[in-house]
Amino acid sequence: MLGGMTGARTSSVQFDDPPLVTKAVGQPPKSFPLVLCHAGRYVRPRLALVGDAAHTVHPLAGQGVNLGFGDVKALVDAIAYATETGMDIGSMTLLEEKYERPRQLANISMTAALDGLKRLFQPQTGLTARIRSIGLGLLNDVPFAKDKIMQYAMGR
């Protein structure tokens, strides 16, 4: 058991300090550029692109995975609709109307918002940074607006 904020030990268990790291081994760290890609079409007969196969966004706040989850839900709903109504689950009409159109609208909207945020937060000095700080301060003072933005980001 450890005691107090000072790290004093009140147990009879002996703790050894970890070994000292003196060098890094292996290859140097890699980096990957932030990319933004969007397929012009998500569907073809009997084929649907979902998630990162259809679109990639800057890794901001985990929104890429949320967009992918939205794609999966829409595709599952489209297949369920086809099953319930006797449609062919690979029908282009079904895939376009029940999956591609609604998901492209949602994905393009979120992609544009994320790209805007990336561009807004890149500058760390100057007028853009000052305006950004003022805007975020104002947004923080308007709970209704802040809540709406959070709900949208969560796909609700």
Side-chain angles (χ1 to χ4, degrees):
M1 175 166 83
L2 297 176
M5 294 298 288
T6 62
R9 296 183 180 140
T10 59
S11 171
S12 62
V13 176
Q14 177 65 38
F15 290 96
D16 294 325
D17 290 331
L20 180 64
V21 176
T22 59
K23 67 179 180 175
V25 295
Q27 296 186 1
K30 303 286 188 250
S31 66
F32 301 92
L34 297 177
V35 294
L36 180 67
C37 296
H38 191 264
R41 296 294 312 265
Y42 289 7
V43 298
R44 288 289 185 239
R46 311 199 79 64
L47 171 79
L49 299 177
V50 296
D52 285 354
H55 46 78
T56 58
V57 296
H58 311 300
L60 298 172
Q63 289 307 304
V65 73
N66 288 343
L67 292 176
F69 290 156
D71 290 352
V72 170
K73 181 182 181 326
L75 187 57
V76 166
D77 290 346
I79 292 169
Y81 175 82
T83 303
E84 292 166 4
T85 60
M87 290 181 73
D88 175 7
I89 65 171
S91 156
M92 278 296 288
T93 301
L94 168 79
L95 293 172
E96 287 173 335
E97 290 177 10
K98 300 290 183 184
Y99 172 66
E100 184 178 65
R101 283 189 200 126
R103 288 312 300 160
Q104 279 192 337
L105 178 63
N107 292 336
I108 289 170
S109 298
M110 182 59 79
T111 298
L114 291 172
D115 191 51
L117 286 172
K118 176 188 169 275
R119 292 172 190 271
L120 178 67
F121 282 91
Q122 269 182 325
Q124 297 301 313
T125 60
L127 183 60
T128 303
R130 283 184 290 217
I131 292 171
R132 177 186 65 225
S133 294
I134 291 167
L136 288 174
L138 292 171
L139 179 64
N140 200 42
D141 292 338
V142 183
F144 174 77
K146 187 166 73 170
D147 185 57
K148 283 292 186 191
I149 291 169
M150 290 172 41
Q151 294 299 318
Y152 178 75
M154 291 186 282
R156 296 183 186 162

